[in-house]
Amino acid sequence: MDARYNPQAIETKWQAHWRETGLDRTPELSEGIRKFYALSMFPYPSGRLHMGHVRNYSITDVIARHKRMQGYAVLHPMGWDAFGLPAENAAIDRGIPPAKWTYENIAQMRDQLQRLGLSYDWEREVTSCSPDYYKWTQWIFLQFLAAGLAYQKEAAVNWDPVDQTVLANEQVDAEGRSWRSGALVEKRMLKQWFLKITDYADQLLADLEKLPGWPERVRTMQENWIGQSTGAKVVFKSESGDELPVFTTRPDTLWGATFMVLSPEHPLVERLTTPEQAEAVKTYQAQAAAQSEIDRTAEDREKTGVWTGSFAINPVNGEKIPIWIADYVLMGYGTGAIMAVPAHDQRDFEFARKFGIPIKLVVQPPDESVTSAADLQAAWAGEGVMIHSGPLDGIPAGKGPGQSVEKAIAWLEEQGLGEKQINYRLRDWLISRQRYWGCPIPVIHCPNCGIVPVPEADLPVILPEEVELSGRGGSPLAQMEDWVNVKCPTCGTEARRETDTMDTFICSSWYFLRFSDARNDKEIFRKDQVNGWLPVDQYVGGIEHAILHLLYSRFFTKVLRDRGLLDFDEPFLRLLTQGMVQGLTYFNPNKSGKDKWIPAALIKDPDNPVDPETGEKLEKIYATMSKSKGNGVDPEEVLANYGADTARMFILFKAPPEKDLEWDDADVEGQFRFLNRVWRQVHEFVEQAHFQDLLTSEIAVGSLSKPEKDLRRAVHTAIKEISDDIEEGYQFNTAISELMKLSNALNESGLLQSPVYADGIRTLVLLMAPFAPHIAEELWQALGGTGSVHQQSWPSYDPAALIADTVTIVIQVNGKLRGSFEAPSEVTQEEQEQLALASEVAQKYLDGATPKKVIVVPKKLVNFVV
RNA sequence: GGGAUCGUGGCGGAAUGGUAGACGCUACGGACUUAAAAUCCGUUGUUCGCAAGAACGUGAGGGUUCGAGUCCCUCCGAUCCCACCA
């Protein structure tokens, strides 16, 4: 064994050895085996790993390694979310074909992952842009189509009028201009594909309760996103007899409706507009259409709108109320039309105020000074009593049982005027992308047969190579005439392929299922494999995927379940959202925009940071690593300087996994020091001629010296604490601090020649194995261990070894700490109290008086109340 | 506006309602060295004190409790998500 810790040498050596011996291969599932599926969100192959990746994968790797040592059959795979815009950009900017660019990046990143010592089963690697994977993505699409869950409809896209191309949202800047041409982006209506996720809204919401292993805030975010609200559908009629259904969560305020508002895009607007109002309405509609999403949803916007000229009849009281259009009503939610109750809705209130529409109070606020709508300064939305509301008069207003909303719904249903309805904010998922580097939608448009799915036998629909990518002109695939023109599989006439590709979120909505049977070329996966390995026991990834990716994956799982392909409801049992990795940077508070960031490298004196250009004082801050801030740390650099084990240990020790982590070179250094210390410790031990005997000799538990007993207790405490830290919430930071404590205890014991010490050294190496796999393996071999350290059983502790001969009893007087004493660990409550009473401290503070009350916590403390 | 999470030394962070600050970083002092690095040993919440020790201390204010960083209420501040969603 080398005297010096040389991380690069041992890491390369062991990585090669593990690969050759197939250490990380997934075992076969078998009867009675305990399985564990540990998964990190698969990365986009940008070409270079960043610290966020390192953190994500280190967390999962510790979990996987620990579970293997506990005897679980572990599935720990890795893959590539490989379709997407950056590959197309590379093609446009540098003329590299997207496939070439992507596969080269994958090769680089795979190499980086391997050098981090991550224990993936590379035989199960999946790549979403590879035909053997996207064949099944297309197959799933056909399943959706067959189930009636995929459909086409007109929807707006971002259109660049200069380059004549559709833009992704990311290609449109904050001002609504194209990133490439700088032209103002227009909204253009195109027929596009949607998945009916709304059919599953109720299940997606209800099943969140089956996920106690998810962070509360992710569940809440999904809940918000699905956005369930309960209310009623009420049908208003225009004077001319057109039906105008509205959705309201407060049907009890129907008697206070003084106008109606339709969304400018509402299909009935044209019919309802009178000739006198036609011009104003047209103008308003045009304005609304031209507005970007950002403008339309901007905060504190003043209400705008136009009267259509016609009226509706309020079904509950026959009142005639004007019908307006306004952009604060959204076509995509509810029915695109609302009844407006200005007295009890802030938006309606503002609108009515501005346009002089009457405001009618139907809930009496408890404040008696408010006797009419004229007194209202803002819409009243609190508790009160119903007034001017026919059958509801006198009933307490509110959504609770027996309150006005419930009564109103019952009454409406009785009268046949409306019914209870549950509405969701969730919209159907627009999956069409007018892009090249994505999974082709396996559909053929036939002039005779309409939409014809590509027959299963013809899958995959291969993405054509040699495509011209310029970022201009229409959809790239539409220009590939040879590819586009096909015969209809049903009737044989000339037909055209669908030229849209799928949103890449589709590809990532099922990859975790494919890992269960990744090399299967006959079917998407065998049912016994997917049911055996799934659900994922621990999923780890960034909070940025808290909504879309996780929601879509849950949706896919439920649809595939309903198609009979698998037997579970939820794909991810437990979820850990890891915090960001932040880097030190400086900013000039007098500057704004990108210019304000000054990379730490440009700071000469960290104690007094100044702007190198202007000499102004700078402020120090930790922020998410990014190019523009110049505060990124390249994992390669850390690997080169300290090795993978130090990088992993640092990142796991610095903060709990869910919290943001501040990168600090001094702390990295500290971690490297610790590994060196352990290295020397083991080295010193094995330099003893008879160290093998010490390792194999039985520990005579009954006849240990006091220091030996103490050391043995430290060893077993470490096993307990580290096991608990890993199992109860992945507290790796405290687990590593326990490793340090054990190392310190061994050091301070001076018992180099005791079997207890030998056992401690061996235990330390075993406990380190999941965190720092290479050094642990090297030291394991130095100790003469057989097999790989990663194939050893996780150590277990002897509860008896945790008990000390004496315990420290704390003395409190009136709950205030006043002293402590040592007592034998088998002390009884009475003895403990007597000992405390007799102690000097108690004598001093009690001063002979008898305590009013004595609280005794066995083996912990005695509190005298005087 | 709605919701979620969180406020602890110089810093990152520990603390099943029971000795607040584990573990680490930084800083300071010492040993080794011709010297430096590395390593090792100390000290390191604040204030008072030569010391023994004492007082204060987990964003602020209340409450529950023998005892509160931890539980409850009010407020202040930070971060994140959603948001003209009827």
PDB file of all heavy atoms in Angstrom, chain A residues 249 301 303 328 333 347 425 863, chain B residues 12 14 22-23 66 84-86:
ATOM      1  N   THR A 249     -67.850  29.643  -8.580  1.00  0.00           N
ATOM      2  CA  THR A 249     -67.639  28.967  -7.291  1.00  0.00           C
ATOM      3  C   THR A 249     -68.567  29.561  -6.239  1.00  0.00           C
ATOM      4  O   THR A 249     -68.642  29.056  -5.136  1.00  0.00           O
ATOM      5  CB  THR A 249     -66.177  29.137  -6.794  1.00  0.00           C
ATOM      6  OG1 THR A 249     -65.888  30.525  -6.736  1.00  0.00           O
ATOM      7  CG2 THR A 249     -65.202  28.449  -7.708  1.00  0.00           C
ATOM      8  N   ARG A 301     -53.150  45.377 -13.782  1.00  0.00           N
ATOM      9  CA  ARG A 301     -53.585  46.002 -15.023  1.00  0.00           C
ATOM     10  C   ARG A 301     -54.959  46.611 -14.829  1.00  0.00           C
ATOM     11  O   ARG A 301     -55.817  46.040 -14.162  1.00  0.00           O
ATOM     12  CB  ARG A 301     -53.662  44.946 -16.131  1.00  0.00           C
ATOM     13  CG  ARG A 301     -52.440  44.907 -16.988  1.00  0.00           C
ATOM     14  CD  ARG A 301     -52.625  43.912 -18.080  1.00  0.00           C
ATOM     15  NE  ARG A 301     -53.346  44.475 -19.202  1.00  0.00           N
ATOM     16  CZ  ARG A 301     -54.291  43.820 -19.861  1.00  0.00           C
ATOM     17  NH1 ARG A 301     -54.632  42.619 -19.512  1.00  0.00           N
ATOM     18  NH2 ARG A 301     -54.881  44.376 -20.887  1.00  0.00           N
ATOM     19  N   LYS A 303     -58.663  47.365 -15.729  1.00  0.00           N
ATOM     20  CA  LYS A 303     -59.636  46.574 -16.472  1.00  0.00           C
ATOM     21  C   LYS A 303     -60.020  47.274 -17.769  1.00  0.00           C
ATOM     22  O   LYS A 303     -60.183  48.493 -17.810  1.00  0.00           O
ATOM     23  CB  LYS A 303     -60.896  46.375 -15.631  1.00  0.00           C
ATOM     24  CG  LYS A 303     -60.660  45.515 -14.400  1.00  0.00           C
ATOM     25  CD  LYS A 303     -60.646  44.049 -14.750  1.00  0.00           C
ATOM     26  CE  LYS A 303     -60.267  43.208 -13.568  1.00  0.00           C
ATOM     27  NZ  LYS A 303     -58.879  43.418 -13.116  1.00  0.00           N
ATOM     28  N   TYR A 328     -60.058  40.020 -19.167  1.00  0.00           N
ATOM     29  CA  TYR A 328     -59.772  39.376 -17.880  1.00  0.00           C
ATOM     30  C   TYR A 328     -60.502  38.043 -17.753  1.00  0.00           C
ATOM     31  O   TYR A 328     -60.248  37.277 -16.832  1.00  0.00           O
ATOM     32  CB  TYR A 328     -60.021  40.317 -16.692  1.00  0.00           C
ATOM     33  CG  TYR A 328     -61.447  40.511 -16.201  1.00  0.00           C
ATOM     34  CD1 TYR A 328     -61.968  39.711 -15.187  1.00  0.00           C
ATOM     35  CD2 TYR A 328     -62.229  41.528 -16.707  1.00  0.00           C
ATOM     36  CE1 TYR A 328     -63.257  39.908 -14.715  1.00  0.00           C
ATOM     37  CE2 TYR A 328     -63.515  41.733 -16.239  1.00  0.00           C
ATOM     38  CZ  TYR A 328     -64.034  40.917 -15.240  1.00  0.00           C
ATOM     39  OH  TYR A 328     -65.297  41.129 -14.760  1.00  0.00           O
ATOM     40  N   TYR A 333     -60.473  28.706 -19.467  1.00  0.00           N
ATOM     41  CA  TYR A 333     -60.905  28.226 -18.155  1.00  0.00           C
ATOM     42  C   TYR A 333     -62.411  28.317 -18.049  1.00  0.00           C
ATOM     43  O   TYR A 333     -63.011  29.276 -18.526  1.00  0.00           O
ATOM     44  CB  TYR A 333     -60.251  29.036 -17.043  1.00  0.00           C
ATOM     45  CG  TYR A 333     -60.603  28.535 -15.668  1.00  0.00           C
ATOM     46  CD1 TYR A 333     -60.004  27.383 -15.170  1.00  0.00           C
ATOM     47  CD2 TYR A 333     -61.551  29.173 -14.895  1.00  0.00           C
ATOM     48  CE1 TYR A 333     -60.343  26.895 -13.925  1.00  0.00           C
ATOM     49  CE2 TYR A 333     -61.901  28.702 -13.649  1.00  0.00           C
ATOM     50  CZ  TYR A 333     -61.289  27.551 -13.167  1.00  0.00           C
ATOM     51  OH  TYR A 333     -61.631  27.074 -11.927  1.00  0.00           O
ATOM     52  N   ARG A 347     -62.388  41.693  -9.103  1.00  0.00           N
ATOM     53  CA  ARG A 347     -62.200  42.033 -10.523  1.00  0.00           C
ATOM     54  C   ARG A 347     -63.474  42.640 -11.096  1.00  0.00           C
ATOM     55  O   ARG A 347     -63.459  43.652 -11.791  1.00  0.00           O
ATOM     56  CB  ARG A 347     -61.816  40.777 -11.310  1.00  0.00           C
ATOM     57  CG  ARG A 347     -60.470  40.236 -10.930  1.00  0.00           C
ATOM     58  CD  ARG A 347     -60.406  38.763 -11.179  1.00  0.00           C
ATOM     59  NE  ARG A 347     -61.464  38.072 -10.417  1.00  0.00           N
ATOM     60  CZ  ARG A 347     -61.667  36.776 -10.426  1.00  0.00           C
ATOM     61  NH1 ARG A 347     -60.926  36.006 -11.191  1.00  0.00           N
ATOM     62  NH2 ARG A 347     -62.604  36.227  -9.701  1.00  0.00           N
ATOM     63  N   ARG A 425     -58.027  23.744 -13.262  1.00  0.00           N
ATOM     64  CA  ARG A 425     -57.210  24.726 -13.950  1.00  0.00           C
ATOM     65  C   ARG A 425     -56.326  24.036 -14.995  1.00  0.00           C
ATOM     66  O   ARG A 425     -55.886  24.632 -15.965  1.00  0.00           O
ATOM     67  CB  ARG A 425     -56.336  25.434 -12.916  1.00  0.00           C
ATOM     68  CG  ARG A 425     -55.821  26.743 -13.355  1.00  0.00           C
ATOM     69  CD  ARG A 425     -55.173  27.430 -12.188  1.00  0.00           C
ATOM     70  NE  ARG A 425     -56.098  27.542 -11.056  1.00  0.00           N
ATOM     71  CZ  ARG A 425     -55.798  28.174  -9.932  1.00  0.00           C
ATOM     72  NH1 ARG A 425     -54.608  28.712  -9.780  1.00  0.00           N
ATOM     73  NH2 ARG A 425     -56.668  28.254  -8.958  1.00  0.00           N
ATOM     74  N   ASN A 863     -35.011  17.782  37.802  1.00  0.00           N
ATOM     75  CA  ASN A 863     -35.362  19.193  37.858  1.00  0.00           C
ATOM     76  C   ASN A 863     -36.072  19.480  39.176  1.00  0.00           C
ATOM     77  O   ASN A 863     -37.096  18.882  39.485  1.00  0.00           O
ATOM     78  CB  ASN A 863     -36.262  19.544  36.669  1.00  0.00           C
ATOM     79  CG  ASN A 863     -36.567  21.028  36.587  1.00  0.00           C
ATOM     80  OD1 ASN A 863     -35.919  21.836  37.263  1.00  0.00           O
ATOM     81  ND2 ASN A 863     -37.554  21.382  35.790  1.00  0.00           N
TER      82      ASN A 863
ATOM     83  P     G B  12     -24.042  30.797   7.108  1.00  0.00           P
ATOM     84  OP1   G B  12     -25.047  31.274   6.147  1.00  0.00           O
ATOM     85  OP2   G B  12     -24.323  30.811   8.553  1.00  0.00           O
ATOM     86  O5'   G B  12     -23.637  29.311   6.705  1.00  0.00           O
ATOM     87  C5'   G B  12     -23.235  29.028   5.369  1.00  0.00           C
ATOM     88  C4'   G B  12     -22.947  27.561   5.231  1.00  0.00           C
ATOM     89  O4'   G B  12     -21.764  27.211   5.992  1.00  0.00           O
ATOM     90  C3'   G B  12     -24.001  26.630   5.796  1.00  0.00           C
ATOM     91  O3'   G B  12     -25.098  26.520   4.906  1.00  0.00           O
ATOM     92  C2'   G B  12     -23.211  25.343   5.950  1.00  0.00           C
ATOM     93  O2'   G B  12     -23.013  24.730   4.711  1.00  0.00           O
ATOM     94  C1'   G B  12     -21.869  25.885   6.468  1.00  0.00           C
ATOM     95  N9    G B  12     -21.829  25.901   7.934  1.00  0.00           N
ATOM     96  C8    G B  12     -22.153  26.958   8.754  1.00  0.00           C
ATOM     97  N7    G B  12     -22.040  26.676  10.029  1.00  0.00           N
ATOM     98  C5    G B  12     -21.606  25.361  10.044  1.00  0.00           C
ATOM     99  C6    G B  12     -21.302  24.511  11.147  1.00  0.00           C
ATOM    100  O6    G B  12     -21.359  24.762  12.352  1.00  0.00           O
ATOM    101  N1    G B  12     -20.898  23.244  10.727  1.00  0.00           N
ATOM    102  C2    G B  12     -20.799  22.852   9.415  1.00  0.00           C
ATOM    103  N2    G B  12     -20.396  21.601   9.209  1.00  0.00           N
ATOM    104  N3    G B  12     -21.079  23.634   8.376  1.00  0.00           N
ATOM    105  C4    G B  12     -21.469  24.868   8.765  1.00  0.00           C
ATOM    106  P     A B  14     -28.442  20.584   9.273  1.00  0.00           P
ATOM    107  OP1   A B  14     -29.035  19.659   8.338  1.00  0.00           O
ATOM    108  OP2   A B  14     -29.282  21.634   9.895  1.00  0.00           O
ATOM    109  O5'   A B  14     -27.767  19.708  10.409  1.00  0.00           O
ATOM    110  C5'   A B  14     -27.481  20.294  11.622  1.00  0.00           C
ATOM    111  C4'   A B  14     -26.898  19.291  12.539  1.00  0.00           C
ATOM    112  O4'   A B  14     -25.873  19.944  13.295  1.00  0.00           O
ATOM    113  C3'   A B  14     -27.923  18.782  13.546  1.00  0.00           C
ATOM    114  O3'   A B  14     -28.427  17.547  13.090  1.00  0.00           O
ATOM    115  C2'   A B  14     -27.126  18.689  14.836  1.00  0.00           C
ATOM    116  O2'   A B  14     -26.404  17.467  14.919  1.00  0.00           O
ATOM    117  C1'   A B  14     -26.133  19.839  14.671  1.00  0.00           C
ATOM    118  N9    A B  14     -26.617  21.139  15.131  1.00  0.00           N
ATOM    119  C8    A B  14     -27.037  22.210  14.386  1.00  0.00           C
ATOM    120  N7    A B  14     -27.368  23.277  15.097  1.00  0.00           N
ATOM    121  C5    A B  14     -27.140  22.865  16.394  1.00  0.00           C
ATOM    122  C6    A B  14     -27.284  23.523  17.634  1.00  0.00           C
ATOM    123  N6    A B  14     -27.716  24.764  17.758  1.00  0.00           N
ATOM    124  N1    A B  14     -26.978  22.819  18.746  1.00  0.00           N
ATOM    125  C2    A B  14     -26.541  21.559  18.630  1.00  0.00           C
ATOM    126  N3    A B  14     -26.362  20.836  17.524  1.00  0.00           N
ATOM    127  C4    A B  14     -26.678  21.562  16.427  1.00  0.00           C
ATOM    128  P     A B  22     -20.146  22.494  18.769  1.00  0.00           P
ATOM    129  OP1   A B  22     -19.725  22.916  20.111  1.00  0.00           O
ATOM    130  OP2   A B  22     -19.560  23.135  17.577  1.00  0.00           O
ATOM    131  O5'   A B  22     -19.965  20.922  18.619  1.00  0.00           O
ATOM    132  C5'   A B  22     -20.369  20.047  19.664  1.00  0.00           C
ATOM    133  C4'   A B  22     -20.878  18.753  19.089  1.00  0.00           C
ATOM    134  O4'   A B  22     -22.207  18.960  18.518  1.00  0.00           O
ATOM    135  C3'   A B  22     -20.062  18.170  17.932  1.00  0.00           C
ATOM    136  O3'   A B  22     -18.967  17.425  18.411  1.00  0.00           O
ATOM    137  C2'   A B  22     -21.094  17.298  17.227  1.00  0.00           C
ATOM    138  O2'   A B  22     -21.275  16.079  17.913  1.00  0.00           O
ATOM    139  C1'   A B  22     -22.352  18.149  17.363  1.00  0.00           C
ATOM    140  N9    A B  22     -22.554  19.026  16.222  1.00  0.00           N
ATOM    141  C8    A B  22     -22.555  20.401  16.204  1.00  0.00           C
ATOM    142  N7    A B  22     -22.770  20.914  15.019  1.00  0.00           N
ATOM    143  C5    A B  22     -22.913  19.811  14.197  1.00  0.00           C
ATOM    144  C6    A B  22     -23.154  19.680  12.821  1.00  0.00           C
ATOM    145  N6    A B  22     -23.288  20.718  12.007  1.00  0.00           N
ATOM    146  N1    A B  22     -23.243  18.442  12.313  1.00  0.00           N
ATOM    147  C2    A B  22     -23.107  17.408  13.135  1.00  0.00           C
ATOM    148  N3    A B  22     -22.874  17.391  14.452  1.00  0.00           N
ATOM    149  C4    A B  22     -22.786  18.642  14.926  1.00  0.00           C
ATOM    150  P     C B  23     -17.502  17.709  17.912  1.00  0.00           P
ATOM    151  OP1   C B  23     -16.646  16.647  18.456  1.00  0.00           O
ATOM    152  OP2   C B  23     -17.187  19.131  18.166  1.00  0.00           O
ATOM    153  O5'   C B  23     -17.631  17.514  16.334  1.00  0.00           O
ATOM    154  C5'   C B  23     -17.758  16.219  15.755  1.00  0.00           C
ATOM    155  C4'   C B  23     -17.994  16.343  14.273  1.00  0.00           C
ATOM    156  O4'   C B  23     -19.294  16.944  14.036  1.00  0.00           O
ATOM    157  C3'   C B  23     -17.034  17.285  13.550  1.00  0.00           C
ATOM    158  O3'   C B  23     -15.804  16.660  13.244  1.00  0.00           O
ATOM    159  C2'   C B  23     -17.842  17.626  12.299  1.00  0.00           C
ATOM    160  O2'   C B  23     -17.862  16.556  11.391  1.00  0.00           O
ATOM    161  C1'   C B  23     -19.238  17.788  12.898  1.00  0.00           C
ATOM    162  N1    C B  23     -19.483  19.183  13.324  1.00  0.00           N
ATOM    163  C2    C B  23     -19.890  20.118  12.366  1.00  0.00           C
ATOM    164  O2    C B  23     -20.032  19.748  11.184  1.00  0.00           O
ATOM    165  N3    C B  23     -20.116  21.403  12.731  1.00  0.00           N
ATOM    166  C4    C B  23     -19.943  21.764  14.015  1.00  0.00           C
ATOM    167  N4    C B  23     -20.169  23.034  14.335  1.00  0.00           N
ATOM    168  C5    C B  23     -19.524  20.832  15.009  1.00  0.00           C
ATOM    169  C6    C B  23     -19.300  19.559  14.630  1.00  0.00           C
ATOM    170  P     C B  66     -46.367  22.453  34.787  1.00  0.00           P
ATOM    171  OP1   C B  66     -46.742  21.266  35.600  1.00  0.00           O
ATOM    172  OP2   C B  66     -47.101  23.730  34.894  1.00  0.00           O
ATOM    173  O5'   C B  66     -44.831  22.758  35.048  1.00  0.00           O
ATOM    174  C5'   C B  66     -44.409  23.379  36.262  1.00  0.00           C
ATOM    175  C4'   C B  66     -42.908  23.289  36.368  1.00  0.00           C
ATOM    176  O4'   C B  66     -42.527  21.899  36.580  1.00  0.00           O
ATOM    177  C3'   C B  66     -42.151  23.681  35.110  1.00  0.00           C
ATOM    178  O3'   C B  66     -41.972  25.077  35.034  1.00  0.00           O
ATOM    179  C2'   C B  66     -40.829  22.945  35.284  1.00  0.00           C
ATOM    180  O2'   C B  66     -39.981  23.597  36.197  1.00  0.00           O
ATOM    181  C1'   C B  66     -41.307  21.628  35.914  1.00  0.00           C
ATOM    182  N1    C B  66     -41.557  20.573  34.917  1.00  0.00           N
ATOM    183  C2    C B  66     -40.456  19.953  34.294  1.00  0.00           C
ATOM    184  O2    C B  66     -39.313  20.332  34.578  1.00  0.00           O
ATOM    185  N3    C B  66     -40.672  18.982  33.400  1.00  0.00           N
ATOM    186  C4    C B  66     -41.912  18.602  33.116  1.00  0.00           C
ATOM    187  N4    C B  66     -42.080  17.626  32.213  1.00  0.00           N
ATOM    188  C5    C B  66     -43.035  19.202  33.718  1.00  0.00           C
ATOM    189  C6    C B  66     -42.817  20.175  34.608  1.00  0.00           C
ATOM    190  P     C B  84     -53.348  34.976 -14.103  1.00  0.00           P
ATOM    191  OP1   C B  84     -53.547  34.569 -15.485  1.00  0.00           O
ATOM    192  OP2   C B  84     -52.117  35.662 -13.718  1.00  0.00           O
ATOM    193  O5'   C B  84     -54.630  35.817 -13.677  1.00  0.00           O
ATOM    194  C5'   C B  84     -54.525  37.010 -12.905  1.00  0.00           C
ATOM    195  C4'   C B  84     -55.914  37.355 -12.387  1.00  0.00           C
ATOM    196  O4'   C B  84     -56.194  38.706 -12.786  1.00  0.00           O
ATOM    197  C3'   C B  84     -57.030  36.487 -12.974  1.00  0.00           C
ATOM    198  O3'   C B  84     -58.130  36.425 -12.053  1.00  0.00           O
ATOM    199  C2'   C B  84     -57.451  37.292 -14.183  1.00  0.00           C
ATOM    200  O2'   C B  84     -58.807  37.080 -14.546  1.00  0.00           O
ATOM    201  C1'   C B  84     -57.314  38.721 -13.668  1.00  0.00           C
ATOM    202  N1    C B  84     -57.027  39.713 -14.694  1.00  0.00           N
ATOM    203  C2    C B  84     -57.351  41.040 -14.415  1.00  0.00           C
ATOM    204  O2    C B  84     -57.857  41.316 -13.311  1.00  0.00           O
ATOM    205  N3    C B  84     -57.101  41.982 -15.333  1.00  0.00           N
ATOM    206  C4    C B  84     -56.548  41.624 -16.507  1.00  0.00           C
ATOM    207  N4    C B  84     -56.312  42.581 -17.383  1.00  0.00           N
ATOM    208  C5    C B  84     -56.207  40.281 -16.816  1.00  0.00           C
ATOM    209  C6    C B  84     -56.467  39.363 -15.887  1.00  0.00           C
ATOM    210  P     C B  85     -58.100  35.364 -10.838  1.00  0.00           P
ATOM    211  OP1   C B  85     -59.193  35.797  -9.956  1.00  0.00           O
ATOM    212  OP2   C B  85     -56.721  35.146 -10.365  1.00  0.00           O
ATOM    213  O5'   C B  85     -58.568  34.012 -11.528  1.00  0.00           O
ATOM    214  C5'   C B  85     -59.939  33.791 -11.859  1.00  0.00           C
ATOM    215  C4'   C B  85     -60.229  32.304 -11.894  1.00  0.00           C
ATOM    216  O4'   C B  85     -59.680  31.754 -13.107  1.00  0.00           O
ATOM    217  C3'   C B  85     -59.544  31.555 -10.726  1.00  0.00           C
ATOM    218  O3'   C B  85     -60.369  30.620 -10.159  1.00  0.00           O
ATOM    219  C2'   C B  85     -58.292  30.951 -11.362  1.00  0.00           C
ATOM    220  O2'   C B  85     -57.887  29.729 -10.849  1.00  0.00           O
ATOM    221  C1'   C B  85     -58.735  30.761 -12.838  1.00  0.00           C
ATOM    222  N1    C B  85     -57.578  30.966 -13.744  1.00  0.00           N
ATOM    223  C2    C B  85     -57.096  29.878 -14.492  1.00  0.00           C
ATOM    224  O2    C B  85     -57.677  28.799 -14.408  1.00  0.00           O
ATOM    225  N3    C B  85     -56.027  30.059 -15.290  1.00  0.00           N
ATOM    226  C4    C B  85     -55.442  31.245 -15.361  1.00  0.00           C
ATOM    227  N4    C B  85     -54.393  31.383 -16.146  1.00  0.00           N
ATOM    228  C5    C B  85     -55.895  32.341 -14.607  1.00  0.00           C
ATOM    229  C6    C B  85     -56.963  32.164 -13.811  1.00  0.00           C
ATOM    230  P     A B  86     -61.266  30.142  -9.410  1.00  0.00           P
ATOM    231  OP1   A B  86     -61.057  29.794  -8.013  1.00  0.00           O
ATOM    232  OP2   A B  86     -61.458  29.126 -10.419  1.00  0.00           O
ATOM    233  O5'   A B  86     -62.461  31.176  -9.372  1.00  0.00           O
ATOM    234  C5'   A B  86     -63.727  30.776  -9.790  1.00  0.00           C
ATOM    235  C4'   A B  86     -64.507  32.005 -10.147  1.00  0.00           C
ATOM    236  O4'   A B  86     -63.765  32.787 -11.109  1.00  0.00           O
ATOM    237  C3'   A B  86     -65.835  31.745 -10.842  1.00  0.00           C
ATOM    238  O3'   A B  86     -66.844  31.432  -9.918  1.00  0.00           O
ATOM    239  C2'   A B  86     -66.071  33.056 -11.559  1.00  0.00           C
ATOM    240  O2'   A B  86     -66.516  34.016 -10.645  1.00  0.00           O
ATOM    241  C1'   A B  86     -64.657  33.396 -12.024  1.00  0.00           C
ATOM    242  N9    A B  86     -64.403  32.883 -13.383  1.00  0.00           N
ATOM    243  C8    A B  86     -64.962  31.810 -14.014  1.00  0.00           C
ATOM    244  N7    A B  86     -64.528  31.612 -15.225  1.00  0.00           N
ATOM    245  C5    A B  86     -63.619  32.617 -15.408  1.00  0.00           C
ATOM    246  C6    A B  86     -62.815  32.957 -16.493  1.00  0.00           C
ATOM    247  N6    A B  86     -62.799  32.288 -17.639  1.00  0.00           N
ATOM    248  N1    A B  86     -62.004  34.017 -16.368  1.00  0.00           N
ATOM    249  C2    A B  86     -62.014  34.695 -15.218  1.00  0.00           C
ATOM    250  N3    A B  86     -62.724  34.474 -14.115  1.00  0.00           N
ATOM    251  C4    A B  86     -63.516  33.403 -14.280  1.00  0.00           C
TER     252        A B  86
END
